[in-house]
Amino acid sequence: MLMGTVGCGINLIVFTRKNLRKNPCSIYFIAYNVANIGFIYALLLSATMEEGYNIDVSIQSLIICRLRLYTGILFDVLSPFYLILASIDRILVTSQDALVRQKSTRRLALLSVISGTLFWTLFQSHALVLTNIIQVGPNLFVCYFQPGVYLDFFTFYAILKQFVFFLLMITCGVWSIKNIRNLRRVRIVPDLSASRTVVENSSQATAKKDRQMILMLLIDIIISALFSFVYAIYLLYLQITQNYNKTTDRTEIEDRIGYLCLFCIGIPYCGLPRYRRQGLGQSAMEQSLNAARTGSWSHNIQASGSMNNFKNYQYGGQIGVGIPIYNRGYNKPSVGLGAAMSGGHASYNGQRFAAKPEWGVGVGVKIPFGRG
């Protein structure tokens, strides 16, 4: 949860910057990270409190119970929905047809996010009515969907949703990769006016920021599709074997697998920030890993410059800082946060120039294996 909050928070800071928020894909990523934060605190937080500390607030009030399940299933569907919208936008951007590329606009992105959010908000409203606090044993209550036809419907709906979203994300991802490969092909176009050939590389039409977003989107699609598909298979198995006579050992094994699948569901929502500037992102990651490993602050300062005379010179520098966030000692899991920033100034024949400051962030995690 901590990693997810930090990662989504950093992503929101990056994508709301002035030079990025005008990009249509940034709007989808902003909505995607907001939905991830909503899912973390609507479902993962309550599940952690319930399983880890035996604290379940949802069984104390019917209103809290219904709001918890409603917000949980709402953000669970909004997150992959925004990811699919971003994938469609990348398909438009990487198209060879100029008219198709022009359809990727900020207005279309805002309209898609708003209309899609309203649709899913209304579509999932059944959870505000058909959920209840159910007694499953002596002095044992759970907040869950009403048993019977509605529970069967919701189970089939959850399975269908996972499979459909999985197929859509894989299809959009493969389509984007296909378009990128087509853009990278070098075409030889005859220039009749000069009786020569001009080598045109279509990949130059895709901006650097768009290429970074495409790569980041593909990573998100792979992670989300794989872990969501695991839970879909588990739900399908439970539906098929619901009328089987199961031993106590088999039931316990299924419960453990269920907890593992629920953990897998949370992984796509707790991703780390992936958008970074070249070079500085690596430096920030190194500082975060150093802080996680040592449990103390780390830093790195670099400077360089040259000078011919007072009218011709250049100088610049870079600084990186790492902060330990979580460290319980030797051979224990630890987390560190790092940041790096660079800038420079120059003068050519008395005319001064200042490079725009660049920065990068990173989160490092150390997970020891074994006791050595």
Side-chain angles (χ1 to χ4, degrees):
M1 288 181 55
L2 175 62
M3 292 172 58
T5 303
V6 172
C8 293
I10 293 175
N11 284 334
L12 287 175
I13 293 174
V14 171
F15 289 117
T16 52
R17 295 184 66 191
K18 185 176 181 180
N19 62 330
L20 284 178
R21 63 171 176 254
K22 294 182 180 179
N23 190 302
C25 195
S26 294
I27 297 175
Y28 297 121
F29 276 120
I30 291 172
Y32 173 68
N33 284 279
V34 170
N36 286 350
I37 292 177
F39 182 86
I40 290 172
Y41 288 97
L43 202 60
L44 293 186
L45 176 61
S46 58
T48 302
M49 297 295 293
E50 180 181 353
E51 297 297 333
Y53 302 95
N54 200 24
I55 300 175
D56 190 359
V57 183
S58 60
I59 63 174
Q60 306 297 327
S61 170
L62 181 59
I63 296 177
I64 296 177
C65 169
R66 291 177 172 176
L67 284 176
R68 173 200 169 188
L69 289 178
Y70 171 71
T71 53
I73 63 174
L74 175 62
F75 289 120
D76 180 51
V77 74
L78 283 179
S79 184
F81 172 71
Y82 295 142
L83 207 56
I84 292 172
L85 290 180
S87 303
I88 296 174
D89 178 78
R90 295 300 90 185
I91 292 174
L92 298 178
V93 168
T94 56
S95 175
Q96 290 180 302
D97 191 339
L99 295 177
V100 175
R101 292 198 299 269
Q102 291 177 359
K103 294 181 180 180
S104 174
T105 62
R106 190 169 181 269
R107 181 175 178 274
L108 177 62
L110 289 172
L111 182 62
S112 300
V113 169
I114 294 174
S115 59
T117 303
L118 290 176
F119 169 79
W120 288 113
T121 301
L122 295 175
F123 185 81
Q124 304 285 23
S125 60
H126 55 82
L128 292 172
V129 181
L130 299 176
T131 53
N132 212 332
I133 300 175
I134 304 171
Q135 185 175 3
V136 295
N139 298 323
L140 183 60
F141 298 87
V142 294
C143 173
Y144 204 59
F145 306 99
Q146 292 183 3
V149 177
Y150 176 66
L151 181 58
D152 293 337
F153 159 77
F154 183 82
T155 302
F156 280 111
Y157 159 73
I159 295 172
L160 181 63
K161 181 203 70 173
Q162 297 291 353
F163 275 102
V164 170
F165 279 177
F166 172 79
L167 292 176
L168 286 176
M169 284 189 285
I170 293 298
T171 301
C172 293
V174 172
W175 197 342
S176 298
I177 293 174
K178 181 181 178 181
N179 285 353
I180 293 172
R181 294 182 64 181
N182 290 335
L183 285 173
R184 287 179 176 176
R185 291 176 182 172
V186 177
R187 298 180 300 173
I188 300 179
V189 183
D191 188 350
L192 300 178
S193 61
S195 299
R196 59 186 177 87
T197 59
V198 178
V199 179
E200 179 185 7
N201 190 346
S202 298
S203 63
Q204 295 177 353
T206 305
K208 181 179 179 180
K209 293 177 183 178
D210 286 328
R211 293 197 299 270
Q212 283 186 319
M213 289 186 177
I214 290 172
L215 177 60
M216 182 174 59
L217 178 62
L218 291 176
I219 295 174
D220 284 326
I221 287 176
I222 293 173
I223 295 175
S224 181
L226 288 179
F227 288 106
S228 299
F229 189 65
V230 170
Y231 186 64
I233 294 176
Y234 174 73
L235 290 177
L236 184 61
Y237 166 79
L238 290 182
Q239 195 65 25
I240 294 174
T241 62
Q242 61 179 340
N243 296 323
Y244 288 11
N245 293 324
K246 303 178 182 180
T247 62
T248 304
D249 293 338
R250 180 174 177 178
T251 303
E252 184 177 354
I253 293 174
E254 290 180 353
D255 290 340
R256 291 182 181 275
I257 295 176
Y259 288 132
L260 180 62
C261 291
L262 288 175
F263 173 78
C264 291
I265 282 184
I267 292 178
Y269 300 92
C270 298
L272 298 178
R274 299 182 180 89
Y275 187 92
R276 64 179 178 86
R277 294 190 180 269
Q278 298 294 331
L280 291 178
Q282 182 178 359
S283 176
M285 186 61 70
E286 291 175 355
Q287 295 302 319
S288 65
L289 289 173
N290 288 335
R293 183 172 58 253
T294 61
S296 59
W297 285 58
S298 64
H299 64 276
N300 179 37
I301 301 175
Q302 299 178 3
S304 63
S306 63
M307 181 177 181
N308 294 331
N309 49 55
F310 288 107
K311 292 185 178 181
N312 295 275
Y313 60 87
Q314 66 87 19
Y315 63 91
Q318 175 179 316
I319 183 173
V321 178
I323 305 173
I325 297 178
Y326 177 83
N327 188 291
R328 297 296 297 272
Y330 175 73
N331 206 30
K332 299 290 184 180
S334 55
V335 182
L337 176 65
M341 184 175 182
S342 68
H345 292 267
S347 175
Y348 178 72
N349 290 335
Q351 186 176 0
R352 297 180 179 179
F353 303 93
K356 187 176 181 180
E358 296 185 348
W359 55 272
V361 293
V363 177
V365 181
K366 186 192 75 170
I367 304 178
F369 293 93
R371 298 180 178 273

